[in-house]
Amino acid sequence: MTTTALLLASVARPAMAEDAQVARGRALVEANCSRCHAVTRTDASKHPEAPAFHTLWKRYPIDALEEAFAEGIYVGHPDMPEFVADPDQIAAIIAYIESIQD
């Protein structure tokens, strides 16, 4: 394998892993959050008090959400169900949310 091929392979693997993590995060928020929240860059929240995920940076530092997810988000809007995620799910959700910020 040439030096160029090795370099390209080493760059591609982390990008592929990151893409997979973002895709997993998207699947998690679509399954668990889309009933109320806008979970893509272009949709609108179905619940009037549920913030759109693509604008969360305006309300919260995105990296601060990691701790909130780890502790369990209990109150986002009045009828939001309790949501608890494991560390791998949290990392994927944060990666996805970061990827869609306006």
Side-chain angles (χ1 to χ4, degrees):
M1 191 176 269
T2 68
T3 303
T4 302
L6 285 172
L7 178 61
L8 290 173
S10 68
V11 171
R13 283 192 184 125
M16 289 186 321
E18 185 174 316
D19 290 345
Q21 185 175 44
V22 168
R24 182 168 183 239
R26 180 177 180 148
L28 286 165
V29 300
E30 285 177 344
N32 295 288
C33 311
S34 64
R35 181 173 57 94
C36 296
H37 294 271
V39 297
T40 71
R41 285 186 180 159
T42 58
D43 63 334
S45 293
K46 295 172 184 115
H47 189 291
E49 295 181 45
F53 283 9
H54 63 96
T55 62
L56 282 177
W57 66 271
K58 293 178 182 178
R59 300 175 105 179
Y60 312 100
I62 299 304
D63 57 345
L65 291 174
E66 185 173 353
E67 183 177 336
F69 281 122
E71 292 177 359
I73 296 177
Y74 299 106
V75 179
H77 49 82
D79 53 340
M80 183 171 162
E82 180 181 342
F83 181 80
V84 180
D86 68 41
D88 289 337
Q89 291 171 322
I90 293 167
I93 291 167
I94 297 298
Y96 175 68
I97 290 173
E98 287 176 336
S99 79
I100 63 165
Q101 295 309 289
D102 289 339

